């Protein structure tokens, strides 16, 4: 008998279906020589301090640092976990082979290995390693099962990460809490959360210290085009007015006219961070929510494995691209031009050297039916990015015009899109422009040496403070260890030194909110007084420096590649904890208190990311009858987009009453409306009050 262990019951069900293990038992499926069981997230955790020594239960400075001679694991104290573990333990001890079907990533490997370790597995172990949960991917994966030992380095990196987080988190949190906190306040310190908080605090200090200054610029309009003086901004109005008077005495002269054609490269495929950034910018989704939505899409077989940090595909995927695009029927208008020719093997998309265990997030081609609005939006981002990657480049023309008025030089730049290329995929999307990108501005043709009258003016402005972090910009800063990087090639190179992993960054940000070290005002993230005090108290650069933390992260990646010893990493961390303990114990005392909750903001706060649920867009709902097509608005009714075959429709007016979008949505999602007054029932002279109900055969009836 072969035992397969999946990471979730839903995944186990899919695997059991493919393997023919159809018989449902208590905690597993059985059949065709397989038993398919599951965990649900972390079953095991590293032992807590009191599991090693009773006296480590108490938080005392004199007991620090706590360094176990060896680290052990234990089952989580949860009755559901313990019951399911007994099932797994029993199956593992009575089988011939185990197939690890956990999530194909570092965390998934760690979860399953710890369970197998705790269950004292003594039989051979194979590894299922797949990038999507479609039936085809599962079947292919089982024909190419890997040896478990191939992933020993991945497990070592996961273990090193967990041990590192324990050593630093347990010791530093107790250390700073006992030394600097008052009352029952806990000062949480973490290997990734503290440098992340430090970046936010640093930005907060720059904003707080900023003093806005007024400035004046000289501008002039010549041939309906506004030029700006290239001299430094003027710091007082008197100088500006003198400049204006000077400009009025001289004509405008064109000194240079340069037009260059160029290209705007296609957007990269999504890794998890880029997807979280885009969803935050476009829809205000938090990083945590985006991860939940894309994980759900993965489990519904609609997209590939999401917890990835590469924007490339492996070269062996090239032959499959056309098939995926052909299956993406809702986007057939966009994919037609790509499918009309052979799919190009673009270096910006396919690169085996840039792909490790998984490739970028792309659609699987499975029809995206029956998903909620938020998931639909995330799917649409992934689908359009996938399509755009294979479109022609966008061809542009950049124009720079220089001029002068007397001795004062002026400049204007313009941009014209000559061939939209990939921008056609986003033709109806005003938010598709890259951050800081200029809008298209077509300039007239100028001739060098031409002169003429112009209309000068003084523009008054104010210097602006540095921008507060949003979740989008904070995720980017974590990815590049605080370096401001716009270039995508450079960003790829810095990923090894980023802080945290794509799959954990969302949780780190949520932890900082939960600890009240940061707060959100509209989309912006600010440090609270507690967060600022905590960072000010930490003297050790190693704890709060994104660059230094990035070095630790790089070592973890080297362990994953088998290029750095886990034991060396562990010893380095132990030394760091010892040094930190000595340093903090001898520090001057400064008490930190929890910042009070901020007073209510009078202006309407921006809603949490789940707000889009309130939007009722009936055309984005699936037909409840065939469940395959979206609904379409006609002249008198909403109906299935494939009405001729399916036949489903809901009239705008039923029993003499015009239905609201909310009532139609209730019929579609709940099968009935709330009570409606004034319904005109045939055969009755009086108007009735009742609910409209959708019957099992998809007709609408009244229920009193």
């Amino acid at each position: 008998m072969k035992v397969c262990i999946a990471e979730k019951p839903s995944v186990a069900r899919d695997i059991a279906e493919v393997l023919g293990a159809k018989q449902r038992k208590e905690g597993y499926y059985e059949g065709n020589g397989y038993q398919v069981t599951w965990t649900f997230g972390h079953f095991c955790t590293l032992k807590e301090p009191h599991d090693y020594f009773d006296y480590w239960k108490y938080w005392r400075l004199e007991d620090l640092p706590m360094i176990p001679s060896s680290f052990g694991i234990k089952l989580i104290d949860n009755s559901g976990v313990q019951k399911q573990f007994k099932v797994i333990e029993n199956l593992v001890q009575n089988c011939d082979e185990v197939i690890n079907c956990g999530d194909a990533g570092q965390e998934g490997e760690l979860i399953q290995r710890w369970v197998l370790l705790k269950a004292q597995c003594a039989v051979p172990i194979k590894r299922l390693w797949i990038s999507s949960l479609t039936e085809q991917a599962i079947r292919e994966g089982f024909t190419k099962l890997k040896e478990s030992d191939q992933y020993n380095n991945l497990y070592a990196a996961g273990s090193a990460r967990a041990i590192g987080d324990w050593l630093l988190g347990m010791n530093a949190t107790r250390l700073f809490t006992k030394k600097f906190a008052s009352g029952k306040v806990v000062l949480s310190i973490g290997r990734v959360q503290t440098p992340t908080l430090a970046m936010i605090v640093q930005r907060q200090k720059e904003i707080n210290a900023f003093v806005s200054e007024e400035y004046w610029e000289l501008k002039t309009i010549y041939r309906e085009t506004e030029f700006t003086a290239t001299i430094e901004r003027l710091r007082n109005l008197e100088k500006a007015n003198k400049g204006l008077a000077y400009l009025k005495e001289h004509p405008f002269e064109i000194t240079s006219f340069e037009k260059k054609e160029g290209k705007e490269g296609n957007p990269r495929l999504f890794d998890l961070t880029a997807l979280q950034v885009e969803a935050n910018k476009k829809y205000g989704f938090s990083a945590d929510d985006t991860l939940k939505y894309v994980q759900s899409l993965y489990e519904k077989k609609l997209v590939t494995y999401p917890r990835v940090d590469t924007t490339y595909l492996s070269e062996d995927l090239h032959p499959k691209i056309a098939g995926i695009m052909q299956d993406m029927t809702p986007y057939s208008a966009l994919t037609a031009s790509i499918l009309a020719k052979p799919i190009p093997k673009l270096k910006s998309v396919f690169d085996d050297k840039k792909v490790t265990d998984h490739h970028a997030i792309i659609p699987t081609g499975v029809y995206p039916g029956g998903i909620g609005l938020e998931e639909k939006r995330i799917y649409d981002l992934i689908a359009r990015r996938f399509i755009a990657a294979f479109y022609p480049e966008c061809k542009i023309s950049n124009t720079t015009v220089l001029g002068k008025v007397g001795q004062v030089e002026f400049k204007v730049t313009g941009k014209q899109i000559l061939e939209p290329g990939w921008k056609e995929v986003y033709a109806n999307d005003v938010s598709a422009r890259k951050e800081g990108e200029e809008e298209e501005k077509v300039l007239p043709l100028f001739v060098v040496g031409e002169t003429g009258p112009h209309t000068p003016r003084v523009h008054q402005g104010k210097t602006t403070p540095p921008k507060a972090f949003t979740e989008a910009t904070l995720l980017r800063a974590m990815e590049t260890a605080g370096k401001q990087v716009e270039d995508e090639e450079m960003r790829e190179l810095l990923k090894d030194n980023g802080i945290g992993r794509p799959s954990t960054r969302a949780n780190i940000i949520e932890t900082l909110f939960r600890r009240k070290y940061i707060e959100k005002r509209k989309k912006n993230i600010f440090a609270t007084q507690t967060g600022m005090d905590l960072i000010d108290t930490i003297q050790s650069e190693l704890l709060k420096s994104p660059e230094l933390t990035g070095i630790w992260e790089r070592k973890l990646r080297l362990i994953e590649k088998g290029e750095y010893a886990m034991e060396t990493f562990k010893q380095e961390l132990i030394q760091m904890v010892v040094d930190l303990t000595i340093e903090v114990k001898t520090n001057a005392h400064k008490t930190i208190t929890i910042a009070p909750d901020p007073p209510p903001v009078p202006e309407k706060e921006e809603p949490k990311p789940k707000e889009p649920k309130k939007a009722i867009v009936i055309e984005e709902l699936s037909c409840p009858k065939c469940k395959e097509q979206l609904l379409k608005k006609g002249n008198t009714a909403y109906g299935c987009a494939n009405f001729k075959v399916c036949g489903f429709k809901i009239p705008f007016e039923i029993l003499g009453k015009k239905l609201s979008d909310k009532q139609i949505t209730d019929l579609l999602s709940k099968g009935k409306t709330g009570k409606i007054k004034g319904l005109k029932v045939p055969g009755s002279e009086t108007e009735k009050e009742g609910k409209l109900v959708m019957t099992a055969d998809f007709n609408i009836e009244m229920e009193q």
Side-chain angles (χ1 to χ4, degrees), residues 10-11 13-15 17-18 131-138 294-304 362-368 371 379:
S10 59
V11 179
R13 189 173 60 245
D14 291 339
I15 290 171
E17 189 68 30
V18 169
S131 283
S132 86
L133 293 173
T134 61
E135 183 182 333
Q136 183 191 356
I138 293 170
V294 72
Q295 182 70 21
S296 174
L297 290 171
Y298 167 64
E299 287 166 19
K300 288 171 180 166
K301 310 174 185 59
L302 300 179
V303 302
T304 57
I362 60 171
T364 58
V366 173
Y367 187 86
I371 56 176
Y379 180 84

Side-chain angles (χ1 to χ4, degrees), residues 659-679:
L659 301 184
S660 68
D661 280 2
K662 167 83 167 68
Q663 288 163 336
I664 292 174
T665 305
D666 285 347
L667 267 173
L668 290 163
S669 58
K670 300 175 186 172
K672 62 181 175 181
T673 65
K675 283 202 172 176
I676 301 174
K677 290 181 180 176
L679 295 171

Side-chain angles (χ1 to χ4, degrees), residues 10 96 181 237-238 325 365 477 517 584 586 599 627 662 695:
S10 59
D96 305 310
L237 183 57
E238 190 183 342
M325 288 213 182
Y517 294 160
V584 172
T586 56
K627 296 185 173 60
K662 167 83 167 68
T695 63

Side-chain angles (χ1 to χ4, degrees), residues 449-615:
E450 69 171 88
T451 63
H454 62 107
T455 312
R457 70 180 183 92
V458 171
H459 164 75
Q460 183 180 355
K462 273 188 174 182
T463 54
T464 53
K467 286 184 179 174
F469 280 115
T470 62
E471 284 208 32
T473 55
L474 182 58
L475 284 165
R476 281 297 187 211
M478 292 173 80
E479 185 183 54
T480 57
K483 291 183 173 68
Q484 295 294 310
V485 179
E486 291 303 321
D487 181 69
E488 289 190 340
E489 285 284 350
M490 183 58 69
R491 201 179 278 152
E492 282 289 326
L493 295 172
L494 285 171
K495 279 182 180 178
D496 275 4
N497 282 57
I499 57 176
R501 287 182 75 83
S503 53
T504 60
R505 287 176 192 141
N507 187 47
I508 293 295
I509 296 169
E510 290 301 312
T511 300
L512 292 172
F513 279 124
R514 208 167 46 247
R515 300 278 184 196
K516 293 192 175 179
Y517 294 160
I518 61 174
E519 62 189 13
K520 193 180 281 186
R521 296 181 218 151
K522 295 196 175 177
K523 272 191 179 183
N524 294 331
I525 295 171
F526 295 91
T528 62
Q529 193 56 51
T530 306
M532 294 184 78
D533 287 349
L534 178 56
I535 293 301
D536 286 345
T537 303
I538 298 170
Q539 300 300 309
S540 169
E541 276 304 304
L542 203 57
L543 267 187
K544 59 184 181 180
S545 159
E547 290 87 351
L548 291 169
T549 306
I551 293 168
W552 293 106
E553 203 67 45
R554 179 167 173 73
K555 287 178 179 176
L556 284 165
R557 287 170 188 267
L558 290 174
I559 292 170
E560 202 172 298
K561 294 172 186 172
E563 296 169 14
Y564 203 79
M566 176 186 163
E567 197 52 42
T568 307
F569 180 79
K570 191 171 139 189
Q571 289 309 316
E572 286 172 348
L573 272 167
I574 289 170
Q575 190 57 52
M576 173 187 163
V577 167
V578 169
D579 294 344
L580 180 70
T581 306
I582 294 165
E583 182 187 315
V584 172
K585 281 183 177 179
T586 56
N587 262 357
H589 190 75
K590 180 191 173 183
T591 302
I592 297 176
T593 53
I594 285 288
D597 288 336
V601 181
E603 65 180 358
K604 193 176 178 185
E605 285 283 328
E606 184 154 308
K608 282 188 82 69
K610 298 224 171 186
E611 168 66 13
K613 258 188 182 166
K614 293 177 186 173

Side-chain angles (χ1 to χ4, degrees), residues 225-295:
T225 304
E226 185 168 72
F227 289 76
T228 302
T230 58
I231 56 173
E232 280 188 18
R233 286 171 171 176
L234 303 168
R235 295 296 173 190
N236 67 65
L237 183 57
E238 190 183 342
K239 272 189 180 177
N241 285 333
K242 275 185 185 172
L244 182 62
Y246 176 81
L247 295 180
K248 286 178 178 176
E249 293 171 8
H250 301 275
F252 192 95
E253 182 187 346
I254 297 291
T255 57
S256 171
F257 181 81
E258 193 176 68
K259 201 168 188 175
K260 281 185 182 173
E261 289 193 7
K263 291 175 181 176
E264 271 191 32
N266 301 44
R268 300 273 178 158
L269 295 174
F270 280 126
D271 59 9
L272 178 59
T273 303
L275 180 63
Q276 288 168 318
V277 166
E278 192 67 16
N280 182 256
K281 286 199 296 198
K282 194 166 180 184
Y283 299 120
F285 291 170
S286 72
D288 197 40
D289 280 342
T290 297
L291 178 55
K292 283 174 191 162
Y293 299 146
V294 72
Q295 182 70 21

